[in-house]
């Protein structure tokens, strides 16, 4: 440390090599501090001894390792101060005041939803409702209805939740247990606007069956000596994932230190005790499943109703533990039915042998229910997560879809290679080398990117397609891609809808935007 304070680059490098293989928090933090000071010196930004000490002191604080940066958390959750805010802490209280009851009323939800919808409509209005320049030249006004779909449930709407872990304090405060007896016992907690909320008995955002499993798990780990080995060490988070029928649930324990060798046996006994399908243990570089099972997933069902006859078809999906799935199954089903209605209305693929291409396809959730509308083409999914690709193949087979193909690759890589071939083809080149994908720019494209939206190369790919269905987790990303990134220069908005996957969340509506290429 003294050598580092003097700015001795050689000595700093030696220190880094010597402690890289050690694993305690302090030593890992010291590596980070050494790298910070070393980098600053190499850039010629010399700090005084006192200033460098402040850097090390901050990084070596016991509150630093593994903790959420609260200023970043605040920026993440407080995005629009003009929107109403309903704290999730209200869903953890056993009794509510009259004002709190009013906050969670149906009338209050309507106000929150209306405010969110108005904010998003304001962002996207320049791209529809007569905002299109070509439509203005034709002296016609495009009337696009902005549809908003509320969550059918205001409580118990989530089938997937994740909690942080905090030390249990209530018994010690009541002097029921000594500090030594209390050691290692935990409560669930959530982070919201720089605050930590402890969950002691209830969390009404989660389904009722999940809440029962949450309490059983906490009681078993805190009180039953048979499961003490699972609680030992630095348990950092717990994830619960069930299907809508509450017939299957998988629990994930996240920890800093490795689990014992008997994890499979002990966690298998615990899974049986609390009534879950499997318990998964995750540490850095290691993943284990109770009883060494391969049943680390849940199977979800979704009903799609036919627009004309009103009859329904039920699709089944494998949702792997640790991979993305929609936490609000009811709204996911509403989104699926809306997309099917759009396909039926337009008859986009019925007349020709067009294919369906989905980027960021996940477990092929959209592709499975939309495959019906592309009977003479292919159903192609692009996904970088190998685990999700395997689930997508299972889901295609489970739903008897024979024309499906999964490409295990990042969307931007597929986009770059496809565009390279397309540009060479347009220049009239022959014998083009490189991988050829089983789709063309004449096919139907669905993109469901992360919250950040589409990258530049994937946007370039989208501009080549005639029809696009853009599912956006963040309307600001969609507005940026339409405006600043100029997707609206090549395509016009045909349909627009918003779905409230997270009721009461002050700043979130999922937006589905159908685009068609301008003439």
């Amino acid at each position: 440390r003294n050598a580092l304070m003097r700015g001795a680059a050689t000595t700093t490098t030696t220190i880094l090599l010597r402690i890289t293989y050690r694993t305690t928090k302090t030593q890992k933090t010291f590596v980070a501090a050494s790298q910070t000071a070393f980098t600053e010196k190499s850039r010629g930004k010399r700090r005084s001894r006192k200033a460098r000490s402040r850097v090390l002191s901050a990084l070596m604080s016991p509150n630093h390792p593994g903790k959420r940066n609260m200023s970043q958390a605040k920026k993440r959750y407080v995005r629009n101060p003009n929107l109403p805010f309903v704290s999730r802490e209200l869903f953890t209280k056993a009794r509510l005041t009259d004002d709190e009851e009013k906050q969670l009323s149906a009338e209050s939800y309507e106000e929150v939803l209306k405010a969110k919808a108005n904010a998003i409509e304001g962002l996207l209005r320049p791209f529809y409702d007569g905002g299109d320049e070509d439509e203005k030249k034709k002296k016609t006004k495009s009337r696009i209805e902005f549809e908003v779909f509320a969550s059918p449930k205001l409580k118990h709407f989530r089938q997937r939740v994740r909690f942080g872990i905090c030390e249990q304090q209530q018994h010690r405060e009541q002097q029921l247990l000594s500090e030594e007896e209390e050691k290692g016992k935990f409560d669930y907690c959530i982070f919201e606007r720089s605050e930590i909320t402890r969950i002691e008995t209830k969390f009404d955002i989660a389904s009722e069956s999940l809440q029962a499993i949450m309490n059983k798990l906490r009681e078993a780990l805190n009180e039953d000596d048979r499961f003490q080995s699972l609680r030992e060490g630095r348990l950092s988070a717990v994830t619960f994932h069930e299907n809508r029928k509450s017939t299957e649930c998988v629990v994930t324990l996240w920890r800093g230190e490795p689990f014992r060798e008997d994890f499979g046996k002990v966690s298998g006994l615990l899974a049986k005790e609390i009534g879950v399908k499997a318990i998964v243990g995750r540490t850095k570089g290691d993943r284990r499943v109770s009883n060494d099972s391969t049943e680390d997933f849940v199977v979800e069902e979704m009903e799609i109703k036919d627009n004309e006859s009103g009859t329904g078809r039920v699709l089944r999906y494998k949702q792997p533990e640790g991979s993305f799935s929609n936490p609000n199954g009811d709204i996911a089903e509403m989104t699926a039915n809306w997309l099917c209605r759009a396909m039926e209305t337009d008859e986009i693929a019925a007349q020709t042998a067009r294919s369906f291409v989905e980027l960021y396809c996940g477990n092929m959730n959209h592709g499975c229910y939309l495959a019906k509308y592309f009977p003479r083409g292919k159903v192609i999914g692009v996904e970088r997560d190998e685990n999700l690709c395997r689930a997508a193949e299972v889901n295609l087979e489970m739903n008897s879809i024979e024309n499906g193909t999964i490409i295990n690759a990042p969307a931007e890589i597929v986009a770059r290679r496809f565009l390279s071939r397309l540009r060479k083809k347009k220049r009239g080149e022959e014998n083009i080398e490189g991988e050829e994908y089983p789709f063309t720019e004449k096919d139907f494209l669905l993109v469901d990117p992360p919250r950040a939206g589409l990258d530049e190369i994937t946007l370039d790919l989208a501009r080549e397609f005639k029809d696009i269905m853009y599912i956006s987790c963040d309307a600001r990303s969609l507005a940026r891609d339409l405006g600043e990134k100029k997707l609206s220069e090549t395509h016009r908005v045909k349909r627009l809808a918003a779905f409230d996957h997270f009721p009461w969340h002050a700043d979130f509506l999922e937006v589905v935007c159908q685009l068609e290429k301008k003439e």
Side-chain angles (χ1 to χ4, degrees), residues 184-202:
K185 297 181 185 293
F186 71 91
D187 276 328
Y188 305 117
C189 64
I190 53 175
F191 298 91
E192 185 175 56
R193 295 196 170 194
S194 306
E195 299 293 333
I196 296 176
T197 298
R198 194 179 300 271
I199 300 170
E200 297 179 354
T201 58
K202 61 182 291 189

Side-chain angles (χ1 to χ4, degrees), residues 200-212:
E200 297 179 354
T201 58
K202 61 182 291 189
F203 186 63
D204 280 346
I205 288 176
S207 69
E208 292 180 281
S209 58
L210 267 189
Q211 289 189 69

Side-chain angles (χ1 to χ4, degrees), residues 153-214:
K153 295 179 183 176
L154 303 186
K155 290 183 179 180
H156 313 302
F157 53 83
R158 289 198 65 148
Q159 286 79 48
R160 180 169 55 83
V161 290
R162 174 168 170 156
F163 301 107
I165 295 298
C166 55
E167 185 180 353
Q168 198 175 67
Q169 294 178 348
Q170 60 175 351
H171 297 307
R172 193 189 310 162
E173 290 169 359
Q174 298 169 8
Q175 298 182 344
L176 297 179
L177 293 174
S178 66
E179 184 172 350
E180 186 61 31
E181 290 173 320
E182 187 76 14
K183 187 176 181 181
K185 297 181 185 293
F186 71 91
D187 276 328
Y188 305 117
C189 64
I190 53 175
F191 298 91
E192 185 175 56
R193 295 196 170 194
S194 306
E195 299 293 333
I196 296 176
T197 298
R198 194 179 300 271
I199 300 170
E200 297 179 354
T201 58
K202 61 182 291 189
F203 186 63
D204 280 346
I205 288 176
S207 69
E208 292 180 281
S209 58
L210 267 189
Q211 289 189 69
I213 293 170
M214 287 163 50

Side-chain angles (χ1 to χ4, degrees), residues 226-245:
R226 292 176 298 169
F227 311 122
Q228 186 178 1
S229 63
L230 301 179
R231 194 185 71 214
E232 289 175 352
R234 191 158 48 90
L235 192 65
S236 59
V238 182
T239 303
F240 300 86
H241 182 191
E242 72 167 5
N243 58 10
R244 283 196 295 164
K245 289 185 175 180

Side-chain angles (χ1 to χ4, degrees), residues 95 103 248 416 458:
R95 300 182 67 178
Q103 272 190 281
E248 295 181 344
R416 183 175 290 109
T458 310

Side-chain angles (χ1 to χ4, degrees), residues 208-275:
E208 292 180 281
S209 58
L210 267 189
Q211 289 189 69
I213 293 170
M214 287 163 50
N215 291 328
K216 288 178 183 178
L217 177 71
R218 176 170 50 190
E219 182 179 356
L221 291 181
N222 282 342
E223 307 298 338
D224 197 326
D225 291 339
R226 292 176 298 169
F227 311 122
Q228 186 178 1
S229 63
L230 301 179
R231 194 185 71 214
E232 289 175 352
R234 191 158 48 90
L235 192 65
S236 59
V238 182
T239 303
F240 300 86
H241 182 191
E242 72 167 5
N243 58 10
R244 283 196 295 164
K245 289 185 175 180
S246 301
T247 56
E248 295 181 344
C249 179
V250 175
V251 176
T252 306
L253 304 177
W254 301 79
R255 202 166 81 171
E257 289 80 12
F259 288 97
R260 290 184 183 180
E261 290 300 320
D262 63 351
F263 173 86
K265 181 179 178 180
V266 176
S267 60
L269 178 60
L270 177 59
K272 186 176 180 180
E273 288 269 336
I274 66 176

